[in-house]
Amino acid sequence: MGPINTKTVHILSRLFIVPGILLMLSSGAFAKEVIGWVEKVGVSPSNVILKAKIDTGADSSSLDCECITPYERDGEQWVRFSVTDINDQTVSFEKKVVRTTRVKRHFGEVQKRMVVRMGICIGDQYGETDVSLVDRSGFNYSMLIGRKYLKNRFIVDPDETFMSKPECKVD
């Protein structure tokens, strides 16, 4: 095979590079926002601002809550709980329990948790996801954001923190 000339390079680029870029654009690969491994997030309703660990190793999200009180409303299970934001302000929520789950902690203990549906805002990306309620007071961050919420929205840069601030327009 002889040397590659500029005409050959031009033809090859049209055959492979341009379609590859078009494929990436149509798949949304360039639309994903880059975030750090720790971010400020907004939790709705109320747009409470929390520090969250972005954990690609966790499947689902969890939230540090105080005063977790289950109760029944119209024959359905609900829960009342409080969250403390980054300014040490406590905000109360009442949410319908979507389900309960069993989580095996890293030291082997199995813990039963209530799961509620919450709105999460990172940067300008808003979405709702299931969040388990737990006492995370022994952890550095009051929320853990898992893959189910991150999928198709973000690229996580483990070298960075606080790359965005929650700026979602939620009705």
Side-chain angles (χ1 to χ4, degrees), residues 5-47:
N5 60 36
T6 56
K7 185 175 181 182
T8 305
V9 170
H10 181 71
I11 291 169
L12 287 173
S13 70
R14 294 185 111 196
L15 286 173
F16 297 105
I17 296 172
V18 173
I21 291 171
L22 291 174
L23 179 64
M24 289 187 347
L25 284 171
S26 67
S27 71
F30 292 118
K32 294 180 183 178
E33 184 175 350
V34 178
I35 59 174
W37 72 275
V38 176
E39 290 292 341
K40 288 182 183 175
V41 302
V43 178
S44 292
S46 302
N47 199 34

Side-chain angles (χ1 to χ4, degrees), residues 43-106:
V43 178
S44 292
S46 302
N47 199 34
V48 176
I49 307 299
L50 306 172
K51 288 182 186 176
K53 179 180 177 184
I54 309 302
D55 191 346
T56 61
D59 189 42
S60 56
S61 301
S62 63
L63 178 63
D64 174 35
C65 300
E66 303 160 13
C67 306
I68 301 172
T69 309
Y71 65 97
E72 193 172 299
R73 180 190 291 176
D74 299 325
E76 298 178 314
Q77 188 175 6
W78 282 65
V79 64
R80 185 176 298 116
F81 58 95
S82 300
V83 175
T84 303
D85 70 9
I86 60 172
N87 298 315
D88 283 331
Q89 300 296 312
T90 300
V91 180
S92 295
F93 291 92
E94 290 187 20
K95 300 290 287 181
K96 181 180 171 183
V97 176
V98 176
R99 61 183 159 75
T100 56
T101 188
R102 292 179 178 272
V103 176
K104 187 172 182 179
R105 310 279 309 258
H106 64 277

Side-chain angles (χ1 to χ4, degrees), residues 136-155:
R136 291 184 52 85
S137 58
F139 292 91
N140 293 329
Y141 307 102
S142 44
M143 186 159 206
L144 183 138
I145 305 289
R147 288 188 311 271
K148 285 183 181 176
Y149 177 80
L150 299 169
K151 186 178 178 181
N152 297 323
R153 289 188 176 108
F154 300 100
I155 297 171

Side-chain angles (χ1 to χ4, degrees), residues 105-117:
R105 310 279 309 258
H106 64 277
F107 43 84
E109 172 193 349
V110 175
Q111 187 178 51
K112 188 176 175 182
R113 297 182 188 174
M114 287 177 273
V115 178
V116 297
R117 191 100 177 136

